[in-house]
Amino acid sequence: MSGKAAGVWADLPVERFFWCEQALLDGRISRGVRAEVDGAGCIAAVETGTAARGGDRVLPGVTFPAASNAHSHAFHRILRGRTHAGGPGSFWTWREQMYAAAAVLTPELYEELATAVFAEMVVTGWTSVAEFHYLHHHPDGSPYAPAHAMERALARAALATGIRLTLLDTAYLSGGFGTALSAEQLRFGDAGADGWLTRLASLRTAFANDFDPAQISVAAALHSVRGVPEEALAEVAAGLDPDLPLHIHLSEQPAENEACLAATGMTPTGLLHKHGLVTGRLSAVHATHLSGEDIGILGGAGATVVLCPTTEADLADGIGPAARLRDAGAGIALGTDQHAVVDPWQEMRALEYGERLGSGERGRFAPALLHRAVSDAGARAMGRPAPGLAVGNACDLMVMDPASVRTAGSRPEQLALTATAADVRTVVVAGRILARDGHHAVLGDPAALLAGALAAADSLPDPQGRARP
């Protein structure tokens, strides 16, 4: 990381050897696993059935690959526990509260909030995050000076916590089909597809100069087909680096599908496919309401579908066709989205439980597949090496307590169906121990950080006088 910005966590020692009492390897639990870590924080060698040696860092419990959070909006953490009053509601009524939360954020407050949120992720086992970011400008839409102030706030938060950040710089150009951005959306926008592509190129250059890409990188996102007009999709397809990961919210709501069909005669997936944007580099977020043809297109392209089961439940979005997508050839990854829950174990369990409720069948996603979704698939969606104990992988690990009140008696390979983040004992990032028993090695208890950031947000008036969530 010579010449690049680094956080205080980077001063923590890289452990050369870890010895794991038990560990997940190739979908199975092995005992006495010893791993060597190279200078880049990656796994150099692994042996099993061996005893610990002098100087090894011993990890009692059960070691799993750390979790890769494939979809996050850090500022949505403001909303947790504040959107449930009143009568019936929907995604669309919830969205008005989200706009009010977004309106108060400055670069300074966003850094404070994101630092707390990323710290919460780290101590619960998430060691990388794809941040779907569209708070680009001042609330009135005017640019910050110097440029990229909000993006740099997120980067500083990642540096402070040690989480691997993939900043998904998001194009958000319209308020709906044939509709301009609303006043609440002005800070999200750019001057058309060309303006977004230009700003994205500038951001990629700035971050490449300033940050180690192993920790902080930039990729691309389109907010949704309602947020990027069809003519802009054509410009994006022609102008975007074809190797750059691309994410999009897709078919989260039936109303989006209906509007897209009315405006274009196609589903959102069909519209993206028309413009050559459905490829193996695409990550479609939510993908809850798909036709059979949509599933075939996404699966045939080998795209990744990022499910956020606890958020989709919280927003009453519905249960997506996860197993059908998997069977068609799509990768399945997991994210925390609006952070109603920040817990990879609950996301894994919610994925399987949703499938059980929808199908009437158990075991739709076996535990090994759940771990692949929460770890490898999310890393792939970010263009990063997979975490875990395999040669060449990032030495990013989460170590679980197999004898807690929740996990006692569970077979280690089935902890995905019983454990929660409260059972995470140790979190390792790039060979460094970054968290133990819910406390960050540098920042301490994330609860205190969250309380301070939320209090600061609550103290600021909404620019448009709306009620705060």
Side-chain angles (χ1 to χ4, degrees), residues 147-169:
H148 314 310
M150 293 295 271
E151 293 76 18
R152 287 187 177 278
L154 289 167
R156 289 192 297 271
L159 287 176
T161 60
I163 201 166
R164 300 179 192 270
L165 170 67
T166 300
L167 185 67
L168 300 173
D169 193 83

Side-chain angles (χ1 to χ4, degrees), residues 74-82 101 104-105 109-110 112-114 116-117 120 339 446-460 468-469:
F75 79 93
H76 287 190
R77 179 60 179 81
I78 294 174
L79 302 174
R80 185 190 294 178
R82 299 181 174 198
V104 303
L105 291 173
L109 179 55
Y110 204 15
E112 181 180 1
L113 177 64
V117 174
E120 182 181 10
H339 317 305
L449 302 177
L450 288 161
L454 293 168
D458 288 344
S459 71
L460 299 175
R468 296 295 309 283

Side-chain angles (χ1 to χ4, degrees), residues 2-3 14 20 190 202 205 295 314 370 432 448:
S2 177
V14 176
C20 308
D190 287 292
S202 171
T205 298
I295 291 171
D314 182 80
L370 294 175
R432 297 175 172 89

